[in-house]
Amino acid sequence: MAARAALRTTHARLLRHYRSRRSAPTSALVHAPHPYARAFGLVCVVLLGAWLGLLIVGSVRTPVGPMDTSMTLRPSLNGGTKINVSPLGALELDSHTAPIRLDVDVDQLDPVRAQALVEHPERITGLQDEITQDVADGTRDLALRSCVAVVSGATALGLAVYRRPRRALAAGGLALALLGAAGVSAYATWNPKSVLEPKFSGLLSSAPSVVGNARSIVSEFDVYQKELARLVTNVTKLYDAASTLPTYQPDPGTMRVLHVSDIHLNPAAWEIIRSLVEQYRIDLIIDSGDTMDHGTAAENGFLDPISDLGAPYVWVRGNHDSPVTQRYLEGLRNVHVLDEGRAVTVAGLRVAGTGDPQFTPDRSVLAAGDDAERAAGARLAASLAAQARAGTPADIAVAHNPVAAQETDGRVPLVLAGHVHRRVNKLLPEGTRLKIEGSTGGGGLRALEKDEPEKVHASVLYLDRDTRRLQAWDEITLGGLGLTTAEVSRHVVEENPGTAPSGSPSGSPSGTPTGSSSGSPAGPPSGTPSADRSAGPAGSPASPVRRPAPARSP
């Protein structure tokens, strides 16, 4: 009996245990997801859904004057505005900092509206206001459609992933909140002057018209919508369908100087320079040296195209240019060779310069290093001071090595240099602006030794014809030996209450732009940022100029 009772007891225990296991909730067997993981998953669903919504239904087509355009918001790490002008290229504006970017695609020119402008030129005077209103209407439509797009996309994807209406609505609400936060960030960082310094990429021949005129950009634009409207207006002039519209004309009050350097025997450089002279209506070319590579007499024939480039050519000797090179250039037509502080007045500008005191391809002579460069710069500075005392102050000084160029601080408003194969823009302590150009020859034939060809650099400097002070400059960058890409970046000189260098032709503060002739605005308000954030604000040191080591060459 006792055994039977024990057996019944054991059976009852086992039955209770089995029933308790069966009745245990399944959640005890499955680990609940971590709250952070659930939140991260929801954010991923929201972002992906919002992006898909913008991609599918977030675009607005709107007429802007005689142009048909598409406006779209896109996710972005840096924000800004991109204006695609097919087939010419694209303009990038640093208009705001937010995780969204405004894309404006100029699709086509409406022939009916364009023809109406041609037949009724009086309508062009009201085109500015019409385009401004078109841009405002399109922006409002885009904001509304974008809200609908991100909410719809996030809600739809949330429903597909979670299969719960509450989760899907939460995803849509979070998407709307994120878009609102991005809009607030864009509004708080909105920079209506960003079009003063656009970055253009595309066909180089289109850059002068699309980027715009230096004097107009400095003195006329004051509201972003009007600036964008003017850009769209300029685009209409580039299409054959509107060939009878007024074409782009360089401002007669702006002098254009092309700064090139370190060509290093690259024959492609001459065609690039000739093209830039024609497109930008260049008044003067300044070459800050290293045109040759070894400086031998056998290389002299390479210099012959200089006489036919279409503009006067001012040259200083680099450390790869020999006295043989210099004497050959002195005999060429339309070439002005500067050395030991010599100055010439060409195309209305007075330019003084000095050659590099070292010739590094000569391995039999030990390189003297920076001390020789500073001495050459000191002689140039003394010459600049003497010319100022004589009543003929120089507007621009030129030296090959930046070490020598920095010695002219306080003696001239602008000094140009090369040698280091990279661009530097720096305002020196005494108010002189130092501009160092990269290699216009893409490093020359030695560029073939690298994995990727060095890019081709040149700059167009815009100076006021009355005061001969720098207003703005365009940095032109071509994609190396293949020349498959072209970028043009506009920079505007900022107002700066510094001290004018002695010998300044106008006596105005150094770095202060003279955006137009007497009686017109001087330029944009102080604080206009540079189009290139890494370069620092225009009118301030872009990055510290490192004194080149006494290496024998770059």
Side-chain angles (χ1 to χ4, degrees):
M1 293 294 294
R4 186 178 296 176
L7 183 60
R8 281 197 298 268
T9 302
T10 303
H11 175 73
R13 288 177 178 175
L14 289 173
L15 185 60
R16 285 195 301 269
H17 178 71
Y18 174 73
R19 287 174 177 173
S20 67
R21 291 286 302 271
R22 291 192 63 184
S23 61
T26 22
S27 59
L29 304 176
V30 180
H31 292 290
H34 195 281
Y36 290 153
R38 293 176 61 185
F40 177 75
L42 180 61
V43 170
C44 290
V45 168
V46 168
L47 293 178
L48 180 58
W51 178 74
L52 290 174
L54 287 174
L55 189 65
I56 297 172
V57 297
S59 179
V60 171
R61 291 188 60 83
T62 180
V64 179
M67 308 298 299
D68 290 328
T69 68
S70 298
M71 296 184 181
T72 312
L73 289 181
R74 292 281 184 248
S76 171
L77 295 177
N78 302 319
T81 299
K82 185 175 183 180
I83 305 172
N84 297 301
V85 189
S86 179
L88 307 176
L91 282 171
E92 295 182 18
L93 311 177
D94 189 16
S95 57
H96 62 276
T97 302
I100 52 174
R101 185 186 73 204
L102 173 62
D103 284 357
V104 180
D105 295 317
V106 180
D107 296 331
Q108 62 182 358
L109 179 71
D110 186 287
V112 176
R113 299 198 299 270
Q115 186 64 29
L117 287 176
V118 173
E119 295 175 353
H120 303 281
E122 68 276 4
R123 294 186 182 179
I124 295 179
T125 58
L127 187 60
Q128 183 80 27
D129 295 335
E130 177 187 341
I131 290 177
T132 301
Q133 185 61 44
D134 290 342
V135 171
D137 294 342
T139 304
R140 283 193 296 270
D141 292 345
L142 178 62
L144 180 60
R145 182 179 285 261
S146 297
C147 290
V148 174
V150 298
V151 172
S152 301
T155 302
L157 187 60
L159 189 61
V161 172
Y162 297 112
R163 301 182 184 277
R164 296 180 182 178
R166 293 182 62 184
R167 283 286 186 89
L169 291 176
L174 180 57
L176 185 60
L178 291 177
L179 180 62
V184 171
S185 175
Y187 180 80
T189 59
W190 191 252
N191 175 25
K193 295 298 179 182
S194 59
V195 81
L196 295 175
E197 298 179 331
K199 181 179 180 181
F200 173 80
S201 59
L203 299 177
L204 184 59
S205 59
S206 308
S209 297
V210 177
V211 173
N213 176 273
R215 181 179 291 265
S216 297
I217 283 180
V218 172
S219 62
E220 293 180 10
F221 291 159
D222 54 7
V223 177
Y224 176 75
Q225 289 181 340
K226 290 185 178 180
E227 293 163 347
L228 180 58
R230 186 177 292 274
L231 283 172
V232 177
T233 304
N234 284 343
V235 169
T236 65
K237 303 173 186 179
L238 298 173
Y239 284 80
D240 293 337
S243 58
T244 56
L245 289 174
T247 56
Y248 170 81
Q249 292 294 333
D251 191 325
T254 302
M255 306 173 73
R256 292 163 170 77
V257 176
L258 178 63
H259 181 201
V260 300
S261 188
D262 295 86
I263 293 174
H264 285 292
L265 279 180
N266 185 349
W270 300 132
E271 290 305 319
I272 295 170
I273 293 172
R274 183 178 289 107
S275 175
L276 292 173
V277 168
E278 294 174 357
Q279 293 164 23
Y280 283 84
R281 311 289 180 90
I282 296 298
D283 299 302
L284 175 66
I285 305 168
I286 297 180
D287 185 340
S288 49
D290 271 6
T291 312
M292 305 299 240
D293 209 32
H294 299 90
T296 63
E299 297 171 332
N300 285 345
F302 170 76
L303 303 170
D304 291 342
I306 291 179
S307 296
D308 300 317
L309 292 177
Y313 200 91
V314 172
W315 182 86
V316 298
R317 186 179 65 250
N319 61 298
H320 282 262
D321 304 317
S322 68
V324 172
T325 303
Q326 180 163 319
R327 286 193 295 271
Y328 188 84
L329 277 166
E330 288 172 345
L332 291 181
R333 176 179 53 85
N334 216 24
V335 177
H336 305 269
V337 175
L338 305 182
D339 198 8
E340 295 298 332
R342 176 175 177 258
V344 293
T345 300
V346 186
L349 285 171
R350 188 159 180 82
V351 185
T354 190
D356 197 300
Q358 306 180 83
F359 178 56
T360 53
D362 185 359
R363 304 298 181 180
S364 65
V365 178
L366 183 65
D370 286 354
D371 290 340
E373 300 292 346
R374 294 189 187 95
R379 293 193 295 272
L380 175 58
S383 175
L384 292 170
Q387 293 176 48
R389 289 193 297 269
T392 56
D395 306 308
I396 301 175
V398 191
H400 176 65
N401 196 306
V403 174
Q406 291 183 91
E407 297 298 316
T408 65
D409 188 17
R411 299 295 185 185
V412 68
L414 176 65
V415 60
L416 307 180
H419 183 65
V420 295
H421 290 207
R422 68 178 185 276
R423 285 194 179 109
V424 177
N425 168 49
K426 182 177 182 180
L427 198 61
L428 300 176
E430 297 299 322
T432 294
R433 182 180 295 276
L434 169 64
K435 288 189 62 58
I436 304 173
E437 189 54 76
S439 173
T440 308
L445 297 179
R446 284 177 293 169
L448 296 172
E449 300 172 359
K450 302 179 181 179
D451 294 335
E452 294 185 3
E454 186 174 333
K455 292 186 176 182
V456 174
H457 296 95
S459 294
V460 177
L461 313 179
Y462 300 94
L463 294 93
D464 186 271
R465 189 171 296 276
D466 296 329
T467 63
R468 302 182 298 281
R469 303 300 296 273
L470 184 68
Q471 292 179 289
W473 68 92
D474 288 343
E475 293 180 350
I476 299 165
T477 305
L478 303 178
L481 293 177
L483 303 180
T484 56
T485 61
E487 291 184 359
V488 180
S489 182
R490 167 63 53 84
H491 301 264
V492 178
V493 176
E494 218 177 283
E495 291 185 4
N496 186 356
T499 303
S502 60
S504 170
S506 64
S508 60
S510 173
T512 302
T514 52
S516 56
S517 58
S518 177
S520 59
S526 178
T528 301
S530 171
D532 185 358
R533 290 287 186 188
S534 64
S540 65
S543 60
V545 176
R546 299 179 179 85
R547 292 184 179 272
R552 300 184 69 87
S553 67

